[in-house]
Amino acid sequence: MNSPVQLELNQFSAISLSQMKGVELMKRTDTKFILAESKLNSILENIKESYHILEIDERRLMTYKSLYFDTDSKRFYHDHHNGKVKRTKIRMRNYVESNLTFLEIKKKDGKGNTSKSRLRIDQIDNSLSEKVTDYIKKKTGKTYQLQPFLWNHFNRFTLVSKTEKERVTIDMNLSYDYEESSKSFNKLVIIEVKQERLNRNSMIIKELKSQGILPFSISKYCIGMLSLHNELKYNTFKRKLLKINKLTA
């Protein structure tokens, strides 16, 4: 039986993966929002005429699996926590329905822009091959000693604006694993609006604002790390955690 969210997704016109080529936006501006899942359907109802939805093999709600890597000192986490504007994130991600897996590197340039580069790989692996380490060095200009610290699973659907160069990802059913520990945020929804440059006239941004939902800087990686690694400092993220816990209570 379809869930209420899945039924709402059926109201959108479909777009294929090949039709999305023009909105890959590997260099872009990202604007994030969080909300309780109970608010999602009303937002989708009000924007459905302005967006297509990505459909693969007649599926619209996709499954993602990621394995995040960091240094022994957890440099990538601490760079974010300490407010460093230029920072890096490295993961392997499996796009389940597409049957594709990539090594992905996301970099912030300090000016609000995000760039993503990726290398096709056969599968997610706890160890980094020579090919992967060479690619990381090429793209970052640095040699990192990396190890896996966090598994992340979630469902996502992707909206594509009918009129603007804009893509919107909406993530649900967020969960994390590391060794014997796990944490889920099943009632949390993370919306990320990806644009060439910030456009506040975006239909979804205007709709979120009308419902009192304002931009909220968040990293799925950092939330997972501080949820499962108790030794990490989290002063900077304390207010964010309180808001997330309130939304998911």
Side-chain angles (χ1 to χ4, degrees):
M1 185 175 182
N2 286 334
S3 71
V5 170
Q6 287 173 317
L7 290 172
E8 194 62 52
L9 298 188
N10 292 335
Q11 306 304 309
F12 287 81
S13 57
I15 189 171
S16 68
L17 200 57
S18 62
Q19 291 173 309
M20 280 184 55
K21 293 296 184 183
V23 285
E24 289 178 318
L25 297 172
M26 301 300 276
K27 293 183 178 181
R28 63 192 187 230
T29 295
D30 297 336
T31 309
K32 295 181 181 179
F33 304 82
I34 65 170
L35 60 147
E37 186 179 331
S38 58
K39 289 191 172 184
L40 182 57
N41 276 357
S42 63
I43 292 167
L44 298 177
E45 174 66 27
N46 291 335
I47 66 169
K48 64 185 181 184
E49 300 301 328
S50 300
Y51 293 88
H52 300 294
I53 190 169
L54 174 64
E55 183 175 282
I56 299 175
D57 295 332
E58 300 184 350
R59 296 192 60 161
R60 299 183 172 199
L61 189 62
M62 312 300 179
T63 307
Y64 289 64
K65 299 178 182 179
S66 304
L67 179 60
Y68 286 90
F69 290 80
D70 210 328
T71 66
D72 285 342
S73 63
K74 303 180 181 67
R75 172 179 174 173
F76 301 154
Y77 171 87
H78 286 110
D79 281 351
H80 196 134
H81 178 274
N82 296 336
K84 187 173 181 179
V85 291
K86 293 183 179 180
R87 53 185 189 264
T88 300
K89 191 180 300 174
I90 296 175
R91 69 189 177 214
M92 293 180 181
R93 173 165 287 178
N94 175 227
Y95 298 76
V96 176
E97 283 75 18
S98 303
N99 194 30
L100 294 172
T101 305
F102 295 94
L103 179 282
E104 299 184 340
I105 303 170
K106 290 182 73 175
K107 298 180 69 177
K108 295 279 189 179
D109 68 1
K111 299 178 182 178
N113 300 312
T114 301
S115 63
K116 185 169 83 169
S117 50
R118 61 187 190 179
L119 174 71
R120 180 82 181 268
I121 56 178
D122 292 332
Q123 62 186 14
I124 294 179
D125 197 329
N126 284 326
S127 59
L128 301 177
S129 67
E130 183 178 350
K131 178 182 177 181
V132 166
T133 54
D134 287 347
Y135 183 79
I136 293 171
K137 183 176 181 179
K138 176 182 177 182
K139 292 299 180 180
T140 65
K142 298 180 180 180
T143 300
Y144 295 109
Q145 299 299 317
L146 299 174
Q147 59 179 299
F149 276 107
L150 188 71
W151 280 96
N152 171 222
H153 303 78
F154 60 93
N155 294 116
R156 166 178 289 180
F157 60 94
T158 300
L159 304 179
V160 179
S161 173
K162 293 181 178 180
T163 58
E164 307 293 335
K165 195 165 185 180
E166 174 186 276
R167 186 159 48 90
V168 182
T169 57
I170 302 179
D171 297 343
M172 310 167 57
N173 305 321
L174 192 64
S175 67
Y176 299 98
D177 298 280
Y178 177 72
E179 295 183 343
E180 301 301 317
S181 301
S182 63
K183 175 69 175 178
S184 298
F185 295 94
N186 290 328
K187 297 180 182 179
L188 181 69
V189 172
I190 300 176
I191 296 178
E192 188 167 354
V193 183
K194 308 168 194 290
Q195 304 168 312
E196 281 189 309
R197 58 190 62 84
L198 179 61
N199 175 14
R200 292 185 177 87
N201 289 319
S202 156
M203 290 302 297
I204 192 166
I205 291 179
K206 290 197 294 185
E207 175 61 26
L208 289 165
K209 184 178 180 180
S210 75
Q211 298 204 28
I213 301 170
L214 302 178
F216 185 87
S217 177
I218 186 175
S219 160
K220 286 195 290 294
Y221 174 62
C222 290
I223 294 301
M225 286 291 286
L226 62 89
S227 295
L228 299 184
H229 294 270
N230 296 327
E231 78 283 3
L232 292 173
K233 62 178 182 179
Y234 66 98
N235 311 57
T236 303
F237 299 137
K238 192 170 184 178
R239 292 179 65 184
K240 296 180 186 296
L241 272 180
L242 288 172
K243 182 167 183 176
I244 290 170
N245 289 334
K246 184 178 179 181
L247 287 174
T248 57

